[in-house]
Amino acid sequence: MKILVALKQVPDTETKVKVAADGKSLDPADVKWITSTYDEYALEEALRLKESKGAEVTVVSLGGDSVKDVLRNALALGADAAVLLKSDASDPLAVATALAAYAKDKGFDLIFAGNKGMGGDNASVGPMLAELLGIAQANVVVKFEVTDAGFRAEREIEGGTEVVEGALPAVITAQKGLNEPRYASLKGIMAAKKKTIEEVEATAPAGATAVIALVLPAARPEGRKLDGDAAAQAAALLNALKDEAKVF
Amino acid sequence: MILVFCELKDGKLRKPSTEALSEGRRLADAAGKPLGALFVGASTAGSADAAKYGADAVFTVEAPHLASYSSDAFAAAIAGAVQAKGATVLLGAASAMGKDALPRAAARLGAGYAGDVTALAMVDGKLQATRPVYAGKAFATTAFTSAVQVATTRPNVFAAAEKAGAGATEALEAPAGDFKAIVKEILAKGTGKPDLTEADVIVAGGRGMKSGENFALLEALADALGGVVGASRAAVDAGWGLSHGIQVGQTGKVVSPTLYIACGISGAIQHIAGMSSSKYIVAINKDPEAPIFKLANYGIVGDLFEVVPELTKAAQAMGIGVH
Ligand SMILES: Cc1cc2nc3c(=O)[nH]c(=O)nc-3n(C[C@H](O)[C@H](O)[C@H](O)COP(=O)(O)OP(=O)(O)OC[C@H]3O[C@@H](n4cnc5c(N)ncnc54)[C@H](O)[C@@H]3O)c2cc1C
Ligand SMILES: Nc1ncnc2c1ncn2[C@@H]1O[C@H](COP(=O)(O)O)[C@@H](O)[C@H]1O
């Protein structure tokens, strides 16, 4: 089995967002970059399949030189090969098109991705990639298995989960709960240093969308504390919600 | 034309779809374009209700093989309708189905996509979308260059407004039934309560709840207020038997209810990201320095094990509930 895992480099979740001077992008000063959390579940699932069924796991990330960190980390965790698709594309359709151009004709049985890349929060590269390759998809997956007929996935929906069955090849996007990602071993980290990262010029089209403004949310109005014992606080809260906020 | 992909549940328009339709009507009026509502399924009975939310036309793609949801079949049906009707804007709710099918349909159309948007506008005949990024720590405005523009509207953000439309119905051709993937079964908990993303009131608990059993206190308060229960990641990860489906935050659900009551939640940046767009926030925490108080419209410094039962009792006595 051949598996591709798409990894996105994103700002750490602790990041305090500051808007850059251009008024439309994140000020990169003080930002720590990490592998998007959902992509860690995606990679873990691929590595588990490799261990249980035998598979060759390739990781791919589209971006500049800095995304090599993400790829190197994936190699340390157990990926067999890593590819840097060089591009500055950020529009989801452009990214998906570049990933599809790379993946096409390489015979991947499964492509794992995150259900969304943290930060951009587009939640769209996975389904777009599946469509561009003309293959099955299951998104926001919390349970996955390869079956004789193809795959069976449980995905999160409103108030529960639904079971999706489909044929391989398929794009599967991971949700928290799918698995518990491993940590890299010292041995893995040392071995990863010796592996090469293949560099390919991406064929990304011009974006179909562009961010034209980035703003911080309006500050919330100053709140107030409610005094008294528990019963008095409870009554004061309900009255305030009813009379001031008009929630009820 | 502005086309809105709509969802039915038990023959009724789902609330997030009524919101998407209402926003579609507003945009259609602004751009001087007609509004179409699109339904896909084995039966589209109930689709006529789209006219109540301003649809000039109601399009149905009906076939027995569309009884179960299939990403590829639905994306094909939706993209096919956009092309057949020459629609330039495609909207839908950012529901589980909308977020699954619409980006796929967008790729099929070579169209740009903006997901989970909180504001939309027509500028020079094209859609512009504002959406939360960094899980709500900032808002990005997206402009499109593609001929067709696709967006999903975040539930609970756009007001549903009734406005009569002509609602002339037309059946469109269904795609073939050779699906690549299909839903076989729904494993629902069957609580009958709304999903967190659609709830008006959320009562959320954190590590301060101390155990999964104690969440019964929050269930009781949520029931009294007509709401649902959420949780911080610390609570979900504590092994208390809580499902990840109720986690609020950067790696959980991003919610915008009218009222969010945080009980025993400190207010870590990743939690705040998921709930800071709630209309009213109440914090109950015994630590007066907890960061959640910076966000709260109303703060109660106290022991949640005393305050929450008092609140439940008082709410029941007052016969309170969200209108
Ligand atoms: C990559 C990443 C992603 C994350 N994603 C999320 C996410 O999606 N959602 C999320 O919530 N977190 C997320 N986190 C975790 C986050 O950083 C915090 O650890 C978490 O939100 C803390 O949860 P908490 O507030 O319940 O617990 P704590 O921070 O431990 O706070 C417990 C609070 O309860 C109060 N308390 C205790 N007992 C009582 C009592 N009897 N009465 C009243 N108050 C009491 C305490 O004063 C304290 O303020 C993420 C972290 C990382 C690194
Ligand atoms: N630049 C990228 N390089 C590799 N994979 C990506 C990139 N952008 C997005 N992806 C993949 O697509 C998923 C969804 O991203 P998004 O649609 O941007 O939220 C991510 O979790 C990644 O798996």
Side-chain angles (χ1 to χ4, degrees), chain A residues 11-17 19 25-26 37-38 41 91-93 116 118-125 127-132 134-139 142 151-152 154-167 175-177 206-218 220-228 230-231 233-235 237-242 244-248, chain B residues 14 69 71 75 95-97 99-100 103-104 106-108 110-113 115 128 131-146 180-190 195 197-198 201 225 233 236-237 244-245 247 250-254 258-259 269-270 276-282 288 293 295-302 306-307 310-311 314-315 318 320-323:
Chain A
D12 184 12
T13 56
E14 292 285 344
T15 303
K16 296 211 170 49
V17 172
V19 179
S25 61
L26 173 71
T37 303
Y38 299 107
Y41 303 117
D91 166 54
L93 184 59
K116 66 177 170 188
M118 290 199 306
D121 295 351
N122 302 304
S124 43
V125 167
M128 286 180 157
L129 181 56
E131 176 62 32
L132 294 170
I135 62 178
Q137 72 184 43
N139 294 306
V142 291
F151 72 87
R152 179 187 182 278
E154 287 179 20
R155 72 178 214 100
E156 241 177 51
I157 58 166
E158 291 87 356
T161 51
E162 65 186 13
V163 179
V164 179
E165 287 179 13
Q175 168 67 320
K176 179 177 179 244
T209 64
V211 173
I212 55 168
L214 185 69
V215 296
L216 300 181
R220 294 190 68 93
E222 182 98 22
R224 70 183 165 91
K225 298 243 170 76
L226 304 171
D227 300 323
Q233 287 171 320
L237 175 62
L238 291 179
N239 285 329
L241 289 173
K242 195 158 169 273
E244 281 174 22
K246 309 222 183 313
V247 170
F248 301 114
Chain B
R14 293 196 61 228
Y69 173 67
S71 319
S95 59
M97 192 185 285
K99 288 199 273 191
D100 197 69
R104 186 164 183 140
R108 205 176 169 88
Y113 169 78
Q128 243 176 42
R131 46 189 299 278
V133 289
Y134 305 100
K137 289 179 209 166
F139 286 82
T141 301
T142 299
F144 293 76
T145 53
S146 52
K180 300 189 172 68
I182 191 157
V183 170
K184 285 288 175 188
E185 194 185 344
I186 291 180
L187 311 171
K189 283 169 294 180
D195 189 65
T197 52
E198 295 168 22
V201 176
L225 299 176
R233 174 163 174 176
V236 169
D237 286 357
H244 171 251
Q247 180 181 317
Q250 191 145 10
T251 43
K253 298 233 157 87
V254 178
T258 309
L259 175 61
I269 189 165
Q270 298 95 345
S276 59
S277 60
S278 306
K279 196 148 176 226
Y280 289 96
I281 295 171
V282 173
F293 284 121
L295 225 61
N297 302 78
Y298 302 106
I300 293 184
V301 179
E306 291 171 21
V307 177
E310 288 295 341
L311 265 175
M318 286 165 77
I320 256 169
V322 172
H323 350 276

Side-chain angles (χ1 to χ4, degrees), chain A residues 12-14 34 37 118, chain B residues 205-210 231-235 247-253 263-272 284-287 290-292 302-305:
Chain A
D12 184 12
T13 56
E14 292 285 344
I34 59 167
T37 303
M118 290 199 306
Chain B
R207 206 192 318 259
M209 293 304 297
K210 309 240 165 18
S232 73
R233 174 163 174 176
Q247 180 181 317
V248 173
Q250 191 145 10
T251 43
K253 298 233 157 87
C263 309
I265 292 177
S266 61
I269 189 165
Q270 298 95 345
H271 186 80
I272 287 175
I284 305 173
N285 197 304
K286 64 179 182 191
D287 173 10
I292 188 83
D303 185 345
L304 72 91
F305 294 104

